Amino acid sequence: MRSDVQLENLTSLGIGGMTDQLVLRRFKTIPDTLALLKDAGIAYRMLGGGTNVLVVDGELPFVVLHLPTSQNGMRVEGNTAYVDAAADLGGMVTFCAKHDLGGMEGLIGVPGSVGGALRMNAGAYGTQIGPHVREVEVYREASGRIEMLRDDQIRFDYRHTSFAGGDIMLRVKLELPSKPYKEILAGIRVCNEKRRSSQPLNQKSAGCIFKNPPGASAGRMIDELGLKRHRVGDAMVSDRHANFFVNVGSATCSDMMNLIDDVRGRVRGAFGVELENEVIFWRN
Ligand code: EPU
């Protein structure tokens, strides 16, 4: 247990209050450990890469759980990859590429852990992780047990899955198409270049704040309203991509929330569209 951990240091937005962090080193002991927390009335949340969460400030009423990455977190057998949920998503894409397994090039620059990508069905440039998934090993709060879910037991939709809130991803089995490393690398380079030219990669953000509404682009709508650089405190609409909201200094959670609500209201007023958050909000 690490005490007094500041979540602003563990999230890509650089926002979030203080709590204790519990590192779950062995999958086997997770059910008993979490049963103890439950019996003691201690609330918990699983933090993956911290790249898609907005966390409230101050003393947090929950501890955060963390899965450490291990040396043996990834392995390939034929067209199948076995990857720990704690692994870095980009690391997984390049590891598979080196074994001549492709299909995930678009995911290369998506920050975060494999577990977070599974939960959100992360995607970019026409690629989503969901279609490659064959099995997910998951701790289920509902049963208090570790279970193996097959792909036909999981629904992967646009930035949404059927995993329950209390599910903790542990490991995934993926099936990937064979492709020569050089070809995969070329695809990765194209995606990296597109991302570099259109997204604020060196600023603190949680990626896109809103989901795209069906048939429309949240970024384009916000841009059309002239809201790039619009800010509340140190929370600002990126001048590079209008669906990225960046922390340009020491933005608080309420700065970011107010900016999100303000922009949502303006888009509703102008386009009659209700934007849904893509970023996950951890309130009290
Ligand atoms: N656009 C603007 N102004 C902007 C931003 C975008 O006019 O400020 C226009 C672009 O020119 C383009 C259209 O809007 O014509 C779509 O923009 P883009 O290609 O950047 O894609 P997006 O729909 O805004 C989605 C994902 C991104 C992903 C990119 C690339 C969502 C919410 N966002 O963005 O994912 O990286 O496609 O595939 O689905 C994320 O999930 O956090 C994320 C960043």
Side-chain angles (χ1 to χ4, degrees):
M1 176 81 90
R2 293 185 194 131
S3 51
D4 296 350
V5 169
Q6 285 285 352
L7 285 205
E8 65 175 76
N9 299 323
L10 296 179
T11 58
S12 58
L13 265 174
I15 296 173
M18 194 171 67
T19 186
D20 297 331
Q21 187 188 46
L22 185 61
V23 181
L24 304 168
R25 292 201 183 278
R26 271 175 298 155
F27 291 171
K28 231 174 43 189
T29 58
I30 288 177
D32 286 345
T33 307
L34 297 193
L36 284 175
L37 289 180
K38 214 171 167 191
D39 290 348
I42 299 171
Y44 57 80
R45 307 263 170 108
M46 179 68 207
L47 184 71
T51 54
N52 200 39
V53 277
L54 171 59
V55 184
V56 287
D57 295 309
E59 186 103 13
L60 301 173
F62 49 82
V63 299
V64 290
L65 309 178
H66 176 69
L67 293 168
T69 39
S70 81
Q71 294 284 320
N72 315 315
M74 293 187 254
R75 119 185 118 80
V76 156
E77 270 174 35
N79 285 71
T80 306
Y82 298 85
V83 185
D84 279 1
D88 174 69
L89 183 64
M92 174 184 89
V93 176
T94 43
F95 178 83
C96 293
K98 284 177 187 160
H99 289 80
D100 298 314
L101 295 182
M104 297 190 297
E105 292 84 329
L107 294 176
I108 189 65
V110 176
S113 66
V114 170
L118 286 170
R119 168 165 292 285
M120 291 299 294
N121 189 18
Y125 303 113
T127 307
Q128 297 184 43
I129 193 167
H132 300 293
V133 171
R134 289 297 162 264
E135 282 175 359
V136 181
E137 193 176 349
V138 63
Y139 165 81
R140 309 214 90 173
E141 196 179 43
S143 65
R145 295 204 338 250
I146 292 177
E147 297 178 22
M148 191 66 87
L149 301 183
R150 290 185 320 271
D151 51 358
D152 61 359
Q153 297 172 291
I154 312 164
R155 231 190 34 250
F156 288 99
D157 298 321
Y158 166 64
R159 299 297 193 273
H160 186 267
T161 61
S162 56
F163 291 113
D167 286 349
I168 296 176
M169 317 293 133
L170 301 177
R171 234 185 316 243
V172 63
K173 175 179 168 184
L174 302 147
E175 199 172 297
L176 300 164
S178 297
K179 213 171 177 183
Y181 179 49
K182 271 192 174 169
E183 261 179 53
I184 303 173
L185 212 56
I188 283 176
R189 289 212 176 99
V190 171
C191 292
N192 273 339
E193 190 39 50
K194 279 193 199 160
R195 199 177 282 282
R196 259 197 301 270
S197 65
S198 63
Q199 300 182 358
L201 299 188
N202 47 13
Q203 284 184 290
K204 291 180 185 168
S205 85
C208 285
I209 283 287
F210 300 112
K211 294 183 185 180
N212 283 333
S217 159
R220 184 184 292 142
M221 289 191 283
I222 300 166
D223 194 1
E224 277 175 14
L225 293 177
L227 293 175
K228 278 181 170 170
R229 294 187 159 276
H230 178 56
R231 63 193 279 175
V232 174
D234 275 345
M236 188 180 89
V237 177
S238 161
D239 56 1
R240 197 155 246 256
H241 192 300
N243 198 11
F244 279 64
F245 292 8
V246 292
N247 173 3
V248 291
S250 41
T252 62
C253 181
S254 35
D255 289 342
M256 196 53 80
M257 281 308 297
N258 290 337
L259 184 62
I260 292 171
D261 288 342
D262 182 28
V263 170
R264 195 194 329 270
R266 288 169 191 252
V267 169
R268 186 191 305 122
F271 298 98
V273 171
E274 187 71 16
L275 291 179
E276 194 189 326
N277 284 6
E278 203 225 280
V279 69
I280 310 289
F281 182 35
W282 282 7
R283 63 185 97 225
N284 293 331

